[in-house]
Amino acid sequence: MNPEKTLTTLRDELRKFAQERDWQPFHTPKNLAMALIVEAAELVEHFQWLSPEQSASLDEKTQEEVAQELADIQIYLARLADVLGVDLMEAAYRKLAINAAKYPVETARGSAAKYRPNRL
Amino acid sequence: MNPEKTLTTLRDELRKFAQERDWQPFHTPKNLAMALIVEAAELVEHFQWLSPEQSASLDEKTQEEVAQELADIQIYLARLADVLGVDLMEAAYRKLAINAAKYPVETARGSAAKYRPNRL
Amino acid sequence: MNPEKTLTTLRDELRKFAQERDWQPFHTPKNLAMALIVEAAELVEHFQWLSPEQSASLDEKTQEEVAQELADIQIYLARLADVLGVDLMEAAYRKLAINAAKYPVETARGSAAKYRPNRL
Amino acid sequence: MNPEKTLTTLRDELRKFAQERDWQPFHTPKNLAMALIVEAAELVEHFQWLSPEQSASLDEKTQEEVAQELADIQIYLARLADVLGVDLMEAAYRKLAINAAKYPVETARGSAAKYRPNRL
């Protein structure tokens, strides 16, 4: 990964992208959340009829399409975080600490049903 | 943003998190895509009855809840990209270049209906 | 509405449709739930950049596209209910009674914040 | 299924439900589409860590929860169709005819990759 390309630089690029096109009025949190879930569904669509095993060994064409869907989600996520004034990386690390406390290693091993709602 | 916390370090943390709990078998792309859209919907839920204007000025409690939803999405997105072998930041920048070519500044200004499907 | 076309006849048509094409193996509840949310997102996509007011006065072309998305959701919903052995209409009426008890008319009027999570 | 409980009577019940609570202002198509996808995600959540086989043999508690999620989706779908002036059953049957023409029995059998985007 290019060390100069980070979530911070992506955020700035997206801000400029929206400004240059006068698209800020459309970028309300409500609208961006909708756009984000639409992109998430385009990702899900690639996997809907695949077995779990098939989903782990995509052909080259699907792999590239899926990578572009992941990119779209990252883009809307970074843009929405910016509009809301949320530091995405800080929030992610903070959530990770919460999850680590919630699912201690010793008790969370394997498939215990009580941990089903979450796996990260 | 802490310069030492990046998508790369987050990816590594998540990989370790899953390994320590023996959760890799659950982390198929199919399952992770489902988990990601579930988190995206929890984000959408916060905005569903708000006007676009209200969605842009959240109270403190909702702001924190929304930040945690954004974090969850980022976490699943980074984990899914890792499982698929996709470099998320590289993919995002590549997609940004595609979008810039697709929506040139001169013609994309404002609300032209033909640009409606996408706003980033 | 044609009195002979009901959720029951739709269910039977879909069952036959799947059988004739040998598609039952793909119609696991997991897969059908994914297909259903993908259709729901295609619906959301039509509204993502519209104001709430615009969403209530669609042009003819969008209206027809939206009607087809609603149809897709109804189709997957009826098929999934059948595969799971759920009587959709019975479940809907049962849920309606639960909601009526949860949101009594006298206290639920207007926009009380405590009723925000649900509006039906 | 009770022959007197149909999508038409459900639509009328929901209309009354919203009127009695003064909730119509919240029931814009944009908002209802968001609510619908949130319910669809609550359905998906039940299946996210299950294998396709497990998703087809739910325990009694999960079966009841899933039935209620299906009900919620049906409720929002019927309400949204009403607000948009769409006859849901007529639209579903019309879409079914389109799909039958698109996926003829002879060529659609089994898992042909070209039919992957849709399975109904």
Side-chain angles (χ1 to χ4, degrees):
Chain A
M1 191 183 296
N2 187 327
E4 294 180 349
K5 292 179 179 173
T6 67
L7 275 178
T8 309
T9 62
L10 179 64
R11 179 200 65 192
D12 293 345
E13 289 285 340
L14 295 172
R15 202 184 283 179
K16 204 179 76 177
F17 196 97
Q19 283 172 341
E20 287 173 348
R21 285 159 186 78
D22 292 341
W23 283 356
Q24 305 104 313
F26 296 98
H27 287 187
T28 62
K30 185 178 176 98
N31 289 0
L32 289 168
M34 294 174 86
L36 195 155
I37 203 167
V38 167
E39 298 297 342
E42 292 181 6
L43 177 74
V44 168
E45 190 174 9
H46 284 287
F47 297 122
Q48 63 188 352
W49 306 121
L50 301 185
S51 70
E53 297 71 31
Q54 288 171 325
S55 81
S57 62
L58 303 175
D59 62 58
E60 205 174 329
K61 180 171 168 291
T62 308
Q63 171 79 7
E64 170 56 21
E65 289 168 356
V66 163
Q68 289 206 20
E69 303 298 355
L70 296 176
D72 282 329
I73 298 169
Q74 183 64 74
I75 283 171
Y76 277 114
L77 185 61
R79 179 65 183 147
L80 176 51
D82 186 27
V83 167
L84 285 167
V86 170
D87 181 328
L88 207 45
M89 196 48 68
E90 188 271 333
Y93 266 86
R94 197 150 47 85
K95 193 68 199 304
L96 201 53
I98 294 171
N99 291 349
K102 204 167 159 188
Y103 309 113
V105 170
E106 312 76 43
T107 48
R109 291 228 166 194
S111 62
K114 62 194 265 207
Y115 291 112
R116 228 173 230 164
N118 212 325
R119 291 280 176 198
L120 267 183
Chain B
M1 191 180 295
N2 186 327
E4 293 180 349
K5 291 181 179 172
T6 67
L7 275 178
T8 309
T9 62
L10 179 63
R11 178 200 66 191
D12 293 346
E13 290 286 339
L14 295 172
R15 202 185 282 180
K16 205 179 76 178
F17 196 96
Q19 282 172 343
E20 288 174 347
R21 286 159 185 78
D22 292 340
W23 284 356
Q24 303 104 314
F26 296 99
H27 287 186
T28 62
K30 185 178 176 98
N31 289 0
L32 289 168
M34 294 173 86
L36 194 155
I37 203 167
V38 167
E39 298 297 343
E42 291 181 7
L43 176 73
V44 168
E45 190 174 9
H46 283 286
F47 297 121
Q48 63 189 352
W49 306 120
L50 301 185
S51 70
E53 296 70 31
Q54 288 171 324
S55 81
S57 62
L58 303 175
D59 60 59
E60 206 175 328
K61 181 172 168 291
T62 308
Q63 171 80 7
E64 169 55 21
E65 289 168 355
V66 163
Q68 289 206 20
E69 302 299 355
L70 295 177
D72 282 328
I73 298 169
Q74 183 64 73
I75 283 171
Y76 277 114
L77 185 61
R79 179 63 183 149
L80 177 50
D82 187 28
V83 167
L84 286 167
V86 169
D87 181 329
L88 207 45
M89 198 46 68
E90 188 273 331
Y93 266 87
R94 199 151 47 84
K95 194 67 201 305
L96 202 51
I98 293 171
N99 290 349
K102 206 166 157 188
Y103 308 112
V105 171
E106 311 79 40
T107 48
R109 290 228 166 193
S111 63
K114 63 194 264 207
Y115 291 113
R116 229 173 230 166
N118 213 325
R119 292 279 177 198
L120 267 183
Chain C
M1 190 180 294
N2 186 327
E4 295 180 349
K5 292 181 179 172
T6 66
L7 275 179
T8 309
T9 61
L10 179 64
R11 178 199 68 191
D12 293 344
E13 290 285 339
L14 295 172
R15 201 184 283 180
K16 204 179 77 177
F17 196 97
Q19 282 172 341
E20 287 174 347
R21 285 157 186 78
D22 290 342
W23 283 356
Q24 304 104 315
F26 296 98
H27 287 186
T28 63
K30 185 178 175 98
N31 289 1
L32 288 168
M34 294 174 85
L36 194 155
I37 202 167
V38 167
E39 298 298 343
E42 292 181 8
L43 177 73
V44 168
E45 190 174 9
H46 284 286
F47 297 121
Q48 63 188 350
W49 306 120
L50 301 185
S51 70
E53 295 73 28
Q54 288 172 324
S55 82
S57 62
L58 303 176
D59 61 57
E60 205 175 330
K61 181 171 168 292
T62 308
Q63 170 80 7
E64 169 56 22
E65 289 168 357
V66 163
Q68 289 206 19
E69 303 299 354
L70 295 176
D72 282 328
I73 297 169
Q74 183 65 73
I75 283 171
Y76 277 114
L77 186 61
R79 178 66 183 148
L80 177 50
D82 186 28
V83 168
L84 285 166
V86 170
D87 181 328
L88 207 45
M89 197 47 68
E90 187 274 329
Y93 266 87
R94 197 151 45 87
K95 194 69 201 304
L96 201 52
I98 294 172
N99 291 350
K102 206 167 159 188
Y103 308 113
V105 170
E106 312 77 43
T107 48
R109 291 228 165 193
S111 64
K114 64 193 266 207
Y115 291 112
R116 229 174 229 165
N118 212 324
R119 290 279 176 199
L120 267 183
Chain D
M1 191 181 295
N2 187 327
E4 294 180 350
K5 291 181 179 171
T6 67
L7 276 178
T8 309
T9 61
L10 180 64
R11 178 199 66 190
D12 292 345
E13 289 285 340
L14 296 172
R15 202 184 282 180
K16 204 179 76 177
F17 195 98
Q19 282 172 342
E20 287 173 348
R21 285 157 186 79
D22 291 341
W23 283 355
Q24 303 106 314
F26 296 98
H27 286 187
T28 63
K30 185 178 175 98
N31 288 1
L32 289 168
M34 295 173 84
L36 194 155
I37 202 167
V38 168
E39 299 297 344
E42 291 181 8
L43 177 74
V44 168
E45 189 174 10
H46 284 287
F47 297 121
Q48 64 188 351
W49 306 121
L50 301 185
S51 69
E53 295 72 29
Q54 289 171 325
S55 81
S57 61
L58 302 176
D59 61 57
E60 205 174 330
K61 182 172 166 290
T62 308
Q63 171 79 8
E64 170 56 21
E65 290 169 355
V66 163
Q68 288 206 20
E69 302 299 355
L70 295 176
D72 282 328
I73 298 169
Q74 183 64 73
I75 283 170
Y76 278 114
L77 185 61
R79 179 65 183 148
L80 177 51
D82 186 27
V83 168
L84 285 167
V86 170
D87 181 328
L88 207 44
M89 197 48 68
E90 187 273 330
Y93 266 86
R94 198 150 45 86
K95 194 68 200 305
L96 201 52
I98 294 172
N99 290 349
K102 204 167 159 188
Y103 308 113
V105 170
E106 312 77 43
T107 48
R109 290 227 165 196
S111 65
K114 62 193 268 206
Y115 291 112
R116 231 174 229 164
N118 212 324
R119 291 278 176 198
L120 267 184

